[in-house]
Amino acid sequence: MEQAQRCDGGHTCPYSVELYKADDAFRTASNVALKKAGLKRQRWVADGMASPLKSIEIDGKARLLSRVCEPHNCVHHYTILYDRLQRCMAGVYMGSDANGGVHSVHFGAPSIAEADLLLKN
């Protein structure tokens, strides 16, 4: 976790999938946020194509930003912001709908600025 807080998204930074496996607080925050939004963590997340964690500041607070997408189908993906101090997570799940379009579901009650950032990443 300490290494992730100092990361800029480069290839030596840990990935959200690694943090999910290694850090109880991160895993709990992820599971709670998804459950409250009525979402399930997809099976493919553990083997998904993830971006390295990137330390950012938004709304005056330090966050870790990452994205993981379904292998060979990045229409389906999660983008997350993790607040290490509050041990909470906000994010967005993007996926295809029954009509072939794309829908999004926010989880973890992101602020307006966070929701905007999540949709752009």
Side-chain angles (χ1 to χ4, degrees), residues 42-113:
Q42 302 291 325
R43 284 189 314 257
W44 50 259
V45 169
D47 300 315
M49 304 301 297
S51 64
L53 289 159
K54 181 178 182 180
S55 183
I56 64 164
E57 186 174 311
I58 187 162
D59 290 338
K61 298 177 184 176
R63 300 278 193 269
L64 293 173
L65 173 68
S66 185
R67 177 181 168 162
V68 61
C69 66
E70 182 178 24
H72 311 291
N73 187 11
C74 276
V75 169
H76 295 267
H77 66 272
Y78 294 90
T79 305
I80 58 105
L81 287 169
Y82 179 65
D83 182 331
R84 180 179 174 220
L85 297 177
Q86 297 295 317
R87 294 183 172 195
C88 63
M89 184 174 292
V92 65
Y93 170 74
M94 301 287 288
S96 55
D97 63 21
N99 299 322
V102 176
H103 76 280
S104 63
V105 178
H106 284 89
F107 54 91
S111 69
I112 292 171

Side-chain angles (χ1 to χ4, degrees), residues 2 15 20 24-25 29-30 36 38 40 43 45 81 86 91 116:
E2 288 75 25
Y15 291 78
Y20 185 88
D24 289 336
S30 175
K36 283 184 179 180
K40 292 183 180 180
R43 284 189 314 257
V45 169
L81 287 169
Q86 297 295 317
D116 185 51

